[in-house]
Amino acid sequence: MSGDLREDRVVVDDAAEASGLHNRGWFGTPRPGGGLELSLLEAVYLVEAGRLEVRRGGTPVTMRELFRRAGGTADPFEIRYLVYRD
């Protein structure tokens, strides 16, 4: 499953994949008309778990790049992520 990096969110446009992801873990916020919007915290977790691939402009985003981007938007992201992951 893949999602698009859009500023400080990751959007999964495929309605069926988004629904399955949301229903199996309550990840993200459903979008009107289908799809799912994930926070960077959720996206990093799902990428690490192998359940999501993040792309920007059609190019895959590495875990390191995604983590760095998330760290720039949330303070202190690293600690919040460790707590979320547990």
Side-chain angles (χ1 to χ4, degrees):
M1 164 182 333
S2 67
D4 296 317
L5 180 61
R6 299 181 188 168
E7 296 185 28
D8 65 342
R9 298 276 179 220
V10 173
V11 176
V12 177
D13 286 321
D14 185 290
E17 289 180 347
S19 178
L21 187 59
H22 184 68
N23 290 337
R24 283 182 277 160
W26 295 100
F27 295 104
T29 304
R31 297 179 60 147
L36 191 66
E37 189 172 296
L38 300 165
S39 70
L40 292 179
L41 184 71
E42 293 168 316
V44 168
Y45 175 79
L46 291 168
V47 167
E48 185 177 50
R51 296 177 61 189
L52 180 69
E53 179 181 283
V54 176
R55 295 179 169 273
R56 182 179 46 210
T59 304
V61 176
T62 65
M63 175 69 170
R64 182 179 183 160
E65 183 181 350
L66 184 61
F67 200 92
R68 195 170 337 144
R69 176 116 178 197
T73 63
D75 187 45
F77 178 78
E78 294 83 4
I79 294 169
R80 288 183 51 218
Y81 179 68
L82 289 173
V83 171
Y84 182 83
R85 189 173 69 181
D86 278 346

